Amino acid sequence: MYHIERAIFDIRRGLPVVLNTGEKRLLVQALEGIESVDMLAKLAGTRPSLVLTRHRLEAMGMSLTAEAACLPLVEHVSEDDLQALAVVQTASRPAHSLLSGLKPAGPGERGAVALMRRALLIPAALCADVSDPAAESVAQEIAQGKLLEVDTKDAAKCLAGAPGMLKRVSEARIPLEDAAESRFVLFREPDGLREHVAVVIGQPETQEGAVPLRLHSACLTGDLFGSLRCDCGEQLRNAVADIQAMGGGVLLYLAQEGRGIGLANKLRAYTLQDGGLDTMDADQVLGFGDDERQYAVAVDMLNALKISQVQLLTNNPLKIAALREGGIEVVSRQALYGSVTDQNHRYLSAKANRAGHLFGDVLGRHGR
């Protein structure tokens, strides 16, 4: 876990890391913030490939069954070319010369993309096989601590965090406007990258039967600043009030901004939405799926709180399925709505029509 944590730190700083597949060494660097492809090529002794996700390639009009693909880079590829391949919304496919040689990604390349996603960067990686002539110098840099080497299998598993290893760190009583008897319990993932909060309202541990529960993914723009692009802030406050009215329960505030893509990428997606895309298509252009969130951490938090039966406040069927898969009994579901406005109607409609969220006739009533 330490090596993966350091690898993510190095990647976010723009440094390369080495992935060992058991058969070869692969030099990996984030596309985001790259200054020179040639420097990576010189270090590895081979030309790098650009690894893109299936979602990104589909946004460019290419069908792919593999989760990611490698695109060998031509000589003197420009930064603009790389951006066009990785993040720019295009009306047509990039030039054939840039797309020649596309092939499914191997384990090392897939592990590289997993590291980018865990680091909350654009899910595109530059990868170069370490050539035989360069092998000795790369090995020396690893031995001297200048380059970090991690196992590909560990990199591939990093998105799942470390189930069962969540650490309960601290807690305090925090009276809330709609729930005076509340306490916050902070949990930290073992790699230290994310912290999540359980807001315990009342004394659910003394309740019989299912505990009212809300899983709420962090939304800085909506929760804190009252953004009109979503209904997250209103849902958050309504959930606290509803749980209080139901006699107490738990709200899990999960550090999964932007359906798991992070704040930087969420803002990029917002810009694409301003150009006409809906929320799902904007995420796909950036290389992400419809929903990148992981709910194993929520299961771990509930286990730590000794909660096994819940009444879930949600409109999202995926949350019900994820909790049940993790061994939590979802006894019932209660809908939870915010206001539908001119600014968030398209966003909510995309969630209903494309992601299967359950809004009943709430969207249809808007504007009547």
Side-chain angles (χ1 to χ4, degrees):
M1 185 60 67
Y2 165 76
H3 283 85
I4 292 297
E5 179 184 353
R6 187 189 145 187
I8 292 170
F9 179 70
D10 284 355
I11 284 169
R12 288 179 64 90
R13 293 170 61 208
L15 301 175
V17 298
V18 179
L19 288 185
N20 191 328
T21 70
E23 298 178 353
K24 64 178 182 180
R25 279 175 165 159
L26 194 69
L27 267 172
V28 172
Q29 194 165 6
L31 174 67
E32 190 172 326
I34 187 71
E35 294 182 0
S36 172
V37 175
D38 293 335
M39 290 180 63
L40 190 67
K42 182 178 180 181
L43 185 59
T46 61
R47 286 295 298 170
S49 292
L50 176 62
V51 185
L52 300 173
T53 68
R54 169 176 59 85
H55 307 292
R56 171 60 188 168
L57 291 166
E58 288 176 351
M60 291 195 291
M62 288 170 282
S63 180
L64 191 74
T65 55
E67 285 302 305
C70 300
L71 179 63
L73 295 178
V74 298
E75 294 282 348
H76 309 302
V77 64
S78 70
E79 182 178 333
D80 287 343
D81 287 334
L82 290 174
Q83 292 299 313
L85 288 167
V87 297
V88 174
Q89 181 188 2
T90 56
S92 59
R93 290 170 57 165
H96 176 74
S97 61
L98 293 176
L99 295 175
S100 59
L102 190 69
K103 61 181 181 180
E109 290 84 6
R110 293 195 299 271
V113 172
L115 287 174
M116 305 305 147
R117 290 167 66 194
R118 182 68 178 172
L120 299 178
L121 302 177
I122 291 291
L126 293 168
C127 297
D129 292 338
V130 177
S131 67
D132 290 340
E136 184 176 348
S137 62
V138 169
Q140 288 178 350
E141 296 225 2
I142 293 172
Q144 294 169 4
K146 296 179 180 178
L147 278 175
L148 176 67
E149 182 176 40
V150 297
D151 188 273
T152 296
K153 293 180 180 178
D154 292 335
K157 294 186 295 185
C158 72
L159 278 176
M165 296 180 63
L166 195 69
K167 185 177 181 181
R168 186 169 177 165
V169 177
S170 61
E171 61 184 88
R173 180 177 172 271
I174 308 287
L176 301 178
E177 182 178 3
D178 292 317
E181 290 301 321
S182 299
R183 70 181 192 274
F184 281 37
V185 184
L186 185 134
F187 293 85
R188 183 176 296 142
E189 295 193 30
D191 62 7
L193 294 172
R194 290 168 178 78
E195 294 179 335
H196 313 274
V197 174
V199 181
V200 182
I201 298 169
Q203 295 182 315
E205 62 273 15
T206 65
Q207 294 177 212
E208 294 184 5
V211 173
L213 172 70
R214 167 68 180 167
L215 305 184
H216 189 93
S217 297
C219 176
L220 176 74
T221 51
D223 297 342
L224 185 58
F225 292 99
S227 167
L228 300 178
R229 298 187 75 129
C230 63
D231 62 342
C232 299
E234 197 171 356
Q235 276 198 324
L236 174 63
R237 287 178 283 279
N238 287 347
V240 171
D242 285 356
I243 291 172
Q244 171 69 18
M246 297 165 74
V250 175
L251 184 145
L252 300 185
Y253 195 79
L254 306 174
Q256 301 193 119
E257 182 87 38
R259 294 197 303 274
I261 68 176
L263 182 58
N265 289 318
K266 184 174 96 167
L267 296 181
R268 292 182 176 114
Y270 276 173
T271 300
L272 290 169
Q273 290 172 43
D274 288 341
L277 297 182
D278 71 17
T279 183
M280 309 295 178
D281 287 336
D283 286 358
Q284 185 182 44
V285 166
L286 297 175
F288 297 104
D290 291 345
D291 196 329
E292 296 280 331
R293 288 175 289 186
Q294 305 281 332
Y295 291 110
V297 66
V299 172
D300 285 351
M301 293 169 77
L302 291 172
N303 288 335
L305 296 170
K306 296 183 173 19
I307 294 172
S308 59
Q309 288 186 328
V310 299
Q311 178 179 351
L312 191 60
L313 283 67
T314 188
N315 307 321
N316 187 351
L318 290 179
K319 293 181 179 179
I320 299 172
L323 290 182
R324 286 175 173 164
E325 185 177 340
I328 303 298
E329 182 182 354
V330 181
V331 174
S332 61
R333 179 190 78 87
Q334 176 173 311
L336 182 69
Y337 305 130
S339 298
V340 183
T341 66
D342 291 342
Q343 293 92 342
N344 68 23
H345 187 270
R346 187 176 63 153
Y347 164 73
L348 297 176
S349 295
K351 291 209 298 183
N353 298 329
R354 301 190 59 183
H357 288 218
L358 307 170
F359 285 102
D361 66 345
V362 171
L363 296 174
R365 293 201 302 266
H366 175 66
R368 290 181 184 175

